[in-house]
Amino acid sequence: MKTNPGRFFEDFRLGETIRHATPRTVTTGDVALYTGLYGPRFAVQSSDAFARAIGYPQSPLDDMLVFHVVFGKTVPDISLNALANLGYAEGGFRRPVYPGETLSTVSEVIGLKESSNRQTGVVYVRSTGADERGETVLSYCRWVLVRKRDPEAAIAQEHVPTLAKAVDPKDLANALPPLQAGAYDTALSGSPHRFGDYAAGERIDHVDGMTVEEAEHQIATRLFQNTAKVHFDGLAAKDTRFGKRLIYGGHVISLARALSYNGLANAFALAGINAGRHVGPLFAGDTVYAWSEVLETADVGRPDVGLLRLRTVATKNQPCTDFPDKHNDGYDPAVILDLDYWAFVPK
Amino acid sequence: MKTNPGRFFEDFRLGETIRHATPRTVTTGDVALYTGLYGPRFAVQSSDAFARAIGYPQSPLDDMLVFHVVFGKTVPDISLNALANLGYAEGGFRRPVYPGETLSTVSEVIGLKESSNRQTGVVYVRSTGADERGETVLSYCRWVLVRKRDPEAAIAQEHVPTLAKAVDPKDLANALPPLQAGAYDTALSGSPHRFGDYAAGERIDHVDGMTVEEAEHQIATRLFQNTAKVHFDGLAAKDTRFGKRLIYGGHVISLARALSYNGLANAFALAGINAGRHVGPLFAGDTVYAWSEVLETADVGRPDVGLLRLRTVATKNQPCTDFPDKHNDGYDPAVILDLDYWAFVPK
Amino acid sequence: MKTNPGRFFEDFRLGETIRHATPRTVTTGDVALYTGLYGPRFAVQSSDAFARAIGYPQSPLDDMLVFHVVFGKTVPDISLNALANLGYAEGGFRRPVYPGETLSTVSEVIGLKESSNRQTGVVYVRSTGADERGETVLSYCRWVLVRKRDPEAAIAQEHVPTLAKAVDPKDLANALPPLQAGAYDTALSGSPHRFGDYAAGERIDHVDGMTVEEAEHQIATRLFQNTAKVHFDGLAAKDTRFGKRLIYGGHVISLARALSYNGLANAFALAGINAGRHVGPLFAGDTVYAWSEVLETADVGRPDVGLLRLRTVATKNQPCTDFPDKHNDGYDPAVILDLDYWAFVPK
């Protein structure tokens, strides 16, 4: 059999390392398409001149573009037979990535836990994206619910890893080169608010909404070489519980991140991903909104930038004026994403 | 409040200068996407080899791509609360723009006129797009109808600027480097017709039609970092007078310009915008057609190129065989764009 | 008349050469958009690092992107008034094409055959794509059914060319530079199967399906500067026998090729096109699947790569588990493409 049927739960071994296909050189072409698909306006990623003025050699790629490219490679090996993408933790962007670099991904199986009904199991992986010299640019943990091929199959070794509730901001402090915050022009960046202007507990409604089309999420997901068939095969989707194509969860993250510019224009680089959950599905025709909360501020001893711990919540078909959120008995039904992350902001 | 609510009419001051976010480095990625979205076939912009043969260092960007990038930056500051984009005048492309250059935009408020009902007012701006050294690449005037936050608010100073009916072609003559018209290969450019073959009064039906999809105009408008919510938020659009997303007027201009290749293949570079009016709205599913009229020909003393003053009219859902036009009592209902501009043609 | 009405059958002359507009510089922007539109994952085209490791100077363009760009230029001169694209033969990719190169196309009329009803005729052309130095990168024969303007018009000279049933693989052997098959990393390429693992008669169901949207095929077809109005004008399409826009046949080829990665991941470069037929039309909303058969294997004396002769069949709205095929009385109604080609595979 020369086609890839994907791994089932019993095919994973605790501790094994999986080198994923296909390495990918990222280019200014990807940047343009990413801009067209999501509409980010962060100045550092948009303007080589702005980036150089504060100390970058040129504009780095949007961090979420890097994430999606690294993530996409894991799909054929990890989640082709997944029923659900359950969560993210311990994500860290190690350095900026520039056009012309080649990314590849390796995953280590760090946890396996069979479900009580023996039909499925949860696979925990730590995926690491590296450049062509093998230097890490991003790593993160993810766990997914994967089907078993044979419910009777025995699982050699189970283990549920202990994952940090949040990444220690001190471990993220060196992810950016030394920058000149004084040269960071807030008229050009689109907001006067610097690190000191944000405080824990502050909530921001990002106001704008984006309606998503089938062509958009398909183009995006193919750009990331993510092959999960639920995103592309409309005929097969008719027989699923949704009856239609499901949009890649990362598409929602990128939309929410782009929308968050309106209120967080200077949170210009992602540093870490503490936790993430795709609370509900998104479909073509739905409109995405977002709001954020500042969970924490961290001064990590850099003279140029500080870190904000942000929680960005995305909704579908409901503006975020009232900050739809988690309640005692679950989430507001409009919520589709709950993402907890660290971002750099100039001082 | 950290989000941008946009300016209302009473927030503008006559003579003030607004530096817009976000600077943008334009790349061959943008060129590819622009080609995919509109289908331009002008040889100078399509082929580095063709461009070099006649004296350019490489292919310049399509002038309308430059226009949209420069324009997009003005939206968050000028027209977020606009009810209508009323017109353009005194537009001039100062020089070709190449991949790798960074564009930013500054606008000067050159006119303010409150409406008689005091609910709205017209804001006139001169917007200037510049490269990273601050050198102008494009400037144009635009006026928009903007809501007042408070109808009672007093307006400090009003003024209606006098704008030229048309740009003097002599002022545009130096917008291109010296070119070798003899090396301009009309087999490769797709038409044998040079400057001398066009005469005032000539009308050209561009024949072809393009049906527009939601994904296309959204990708385009995001590419230009234009944030006007009417183009993206399908849920909010349900409560507007149209009941659906409205397509960015610039999308129509670029479609019409690309369609105009069939008949104007050698009108390879835009020089000036004399006047422009978005006569009617365009929606996804509509099909755009266009025709042009040669209003004037201008020999500006260059041995290589002359200027054609063109008027391109775009329609929706009606081919232009009969040249749908302005009548005594207004426009043919199919007309959506009436654009008056200067373009360079090789001698 | 300054617009191009396209040639009718009686406008072609046997033996004439037509230089097509518009030359086109291909870039990493085109590569990104091609990736977003089709989702190819072949490592050589995706990763500069992978390509360099085996001996390329950098990643070459996907061969089908080169094909579409070369093909697109022929449409305004050859097939604007075509009723059907009947077939391909004698296609050969002469060398890899890299970002930054400029492609242009010339066609020679090698055959003309009027239909018995005198309403139409078949035009045979050999189209040759060349770089800016005039060196051939691709050539192929195509024949199309073209309308006559005037059924009474006499045809000066008719001739039906004899075209090879298949390209001799020895003639394709030098299309790739010398490569180091030992450095070809099959973990990164996504499949362990090399030349010796494939045998004539083997059939592979490529499993995955892609639903196609109007925006996708329109963006693709414009990217290739293919101007056939049936793909773009939804209003005019209402009066055709299909009642809707018809998708460019090349879009199906690129989808099938990208889907074929799942099973043919190491068939990394196209060498020749033996035959091709668009068996049925594709429309937006349809889902494309594909399967392939190994027709022949050819060792052409290179130590690094061998050639597989493949036949890839694409279907719409029917998975290929049962290999829908040609029967005595025609094709399974689900089949839309039958393509016979040579591809390089590492030894």
Side-chain angles (χ1 to χ4, degrees), chain A residues 46 48 185 202 211 216 262, chain B residues 2 4 19 23 25 218 234:
Chain A
S46 179
D48 282 337
D185 182 331
E202 183 172 357
T211 304
E216 294 169 353
N262 195 352
Chain B
K2 290 198 168 74
N4 172 27
R19 293 177 67 217
T25 302
Q218 292 196 146

Side-chain angles (χ1 to χ4, degrees), chain A residues 114-137:
Chain A
E114 194 178 20
S115 307
S116 54
N117 65 11
R118 304 200 63 195
Q119 303 285 322
T120 59
V122 178
V123 178
Y124 298 78
V125 292
R126 184 183 308 275
S127 297
T128 302
D131 63 20
E132 60 261 57
R133 291 178 307 278
E135 187 193 337
T136 298
V137 299

